[in-house]
Amino acid sequence: MLTIPSAIFSALQAHGEAAYPNEGAGLLLGRVNGGDKAVVDILPLENRWNTEEQYHRYQITPQDALHGEKEAMRRGLDVVGFFHSHPDHPAEPSAFDREWATWPGYSYVITTVEKGRATVSRSWLLKEDRSAFDEEPIQIGDPAVRGARSQQSTI
Amino acid sequence: MATIRIPAPLRPYTAGSAEVPVAGPTVGEVLGHLTTQYPNLKQHLYTEAGELRAFVNVFVNDEDIRHLQGAQTPVKERDRLMIIPSIAGG
């Protein structure tokens, strides 16, 4: 389960909308608790893939990832995964996403942005044998108000 | 002693340690010792052919070893090493 506070989830989707018609991407900062992860904040980043191909490609450079890791450490958090958008495409990992996948355990949140508007976001975990991704449930809601049904929803 | 920072998803393979003290004169030897100490970590850093995976980057005091001397980069007492992924997709 990946828990994302509603305000952070909105910011994540807004980053995808701002990048449209290109892909937008960034890092998920949070805490790991066994098999579950709680996102505390996101670090939106610039798409470093060459501009002409950004409509279907994204890149986060090692320098940006290093910056993110240090920012997470400074705040007592960890990089727990990544997010990116699929302009006018399903929120599922593409063959290219599989090819470039890093380590099992990181959450890969993919958001469909349809005609400039973010719709569905889904999270994916690489299988241990790296052959495919499994879906990871996302829970949107502020941990502080968990239990108040009206404040959260599971997508 | 130098230390190496372990990314969160790799900590299940280092008994939960986020930072591991490491010894060795070069980055290559340090990584060799690390994966000997934690054998299950090896497949996540290296391909079956024994090459560092393409998305795996090692930084020594914020410098990418690809811009230094690669696996031959010297490691000194108190150096801080970090394992950082390159991230891309479509």
Side-chain angles (χ1 to χ4, degrees):
Chain A
M1 174 77 73
L2 181 71
T3 307
I4 310 178
S6 356
I8 301 302
F9 182 70
S10 299
L12 179 155
Q13 289 209 325
H15 186 64
E17 291 178 347
Y20 187 87
N22 291 335
E23 294 195 8
L27 306 180
L28 304 172
L29 310 185
R31 297 188 176 91
V32 180
N33 182 14
D36 294 332
K37 290 185 221 86
V39 174
V40 172
D41 205 353
I42 57 166
L43 193 61
L45 293 169
E46 207 172 303
N47 185 347
R48 304 287 192 183
W49 200 278
N50 70 64
T51 313
E52 297 74 31
E53 298 284 324
Q54 283 182 12
Y55 71 94
H56 72 154
R57 296 282 184 264
Y58 78 94
Q59 184 183 22
I60 295 169
T61 61
Q63 286 71 25
D64 285 345
L66 173 72
H67 165 71
E69 192 73 35
K70 292 177 74 175
E71 173 68 10
M73 282 169 68
R74 193 181 64 75
R75 297 169 61 177
L77 303 172
D78 282 305
V79 174
V80 298
F82 317 109
F83 65 94
H84 75 281
S85 58
H86 279 179
D88 301 310
H89 277 79
E92 295 166 7
S94 62
F96 200 74
D97 286 327
R98 266 199 307 283
E99 196 181 317
W100 280 81
T102 59
W103 295 302
Y106 274 137
S107 295
Y108 282 80
V109 174
I110 304 178
T111 298
T112 292
V113 180
E114 246 178 87
K115 295 178 180 156
R117 191 158 180 274
T119 56
V120 181
S121 295
R122 298 168 74 182
S123 183
W124 303 89
L125 293 167
L126 186 67
K127 282 182 188 288
E128 194 72 14
D129 68 2
R130 313 185 62 84
S131 62
F133 281 93
D134 288 324
E135 186 159 12
E136 173 185 43
I138 298 182
Q139 186 175 56
I140 309 300
D142 187 340
V145 296
R146 192 166 301 148
R149 274 176 172 277
S150 60
Q151 297 286 322
Q152 65 184 45
S153 62
T154 301
I155 59 167
Chain B
M1 191 175 255
T3 58
I4 188 159
R5 174 92 181 165
I6 308 295
L10 296 184
R11 289 178 206 157
Y13 313 106
T14 58
S17 296
E19 292 208 356
V20 177
V22 284
T26 64
V27 170
E29 287 181 65
V30 159
L31 292 179
H33 290 154
L34 182 71
T35 52
T36 302
Q37 190 179 354
Y38 301 110
N40 293 335
L41 190 59
K42 193 168 184 178
Q43 59 166 325
H44 296 288
L45 299 181
Y46 292 93
T47 62
E48 282 172 19
E51 300 286 331
L52 208 56
R53 289 187 181 276
F55 67 82
V56 174
N57 306 279
V58 180
F59 284 77
V60 176
N61 303 329
D62 296 350
E63 283 285 331
D64 189 334
I65 61 163
R66 289 195 177 93
H67 303 147
L68 299 170
Q69 296 165 58
Q72 299 306 313
T73 302
V75 175
K76 299 185 296 295
E77 196 81 0
R78 298 191 184 182
D79 275 353
R80 288 184 54 83
L81 283 72
M82 291 178 81
I83 299 171
I84 298 289
S86 298
I87 305 122

